[in-house]
Structure formats: C-alpha cells, structure tokens
Amino acid sequence: MSKIILDQNKCIGCNTCPLMDPETFEMDTTTYKAKVKKQPEKITDAVKSAVEACPVGAITIEEN
Ligand code: SF4
C-alpha cells in the first residue's frame, strides 16, 4: 500500500493541498502547516494533483 508523507519542516502553509484534496489533507490550526488527514486507500488523481501542486515539494508518495 502507498503512503503519503508530508514533511512539515518543508511546508510553508500555503493551503494548496487541502484545497486540491480535502479528503486527504488538512491544515493544522496550531502550526499553520498541512498534515495528512487520512491516508488514502488508493492514490487518486486528486492526491497526485496535490503532490504536484505543492510549491516546496513537501509531499511525497512512498510506495511499498
Ligand atoms: S501544498 Fe505543500 S506547502 Fe502548501 S500547505 Fe500543502 S504541504 Fe504545505
């Protein structure tokens, strides 16, 4: 199963990933960084779009 890794040290809190895929990502209201809300059962186009749209490359998909 694939796993989404979001590096909060890289995240600049631009809010793009929750907009692109609100099922998978949400903003952490204490740190103003994004976090994984729920690991997706499969890598959908919405997940891929969010990964590609991140301006700092903070989100990666780990295949195992
Ligand atoms: S798109 Fe990237 S920088 Fe923007 S909130 Fe999501 S993880 Fe953070």
Side-chain angles (χ1 to χ4, degrees), residues 15-63:
N15 201 37
T16 300
C17 57
L19 283 175
M20 306 279 294
D21 185 357
E23 302 266 299
T24 306
F25 303 98
E26 67 184 354
M27 295 307 289
D28 184 326
T29 51
T30 53
T31 61
Y32 299 102
K33 307 238 175 183
K35 63 180 180 181
V36 177
K37 180 179 177 185
K38 183 171 160 284
Q39 287 291 338
E41 282 171 24
K42 64 186 181 83
I43 303 303
T44 60
D45 286 346
V47 175
K48 285 187 204 154
S49 299
V51 172
E52 283 164 18
C54 178
V56 292
I59 314 166
T60 48
I61 301 172
E62 187 182 87
E63 310 275 357

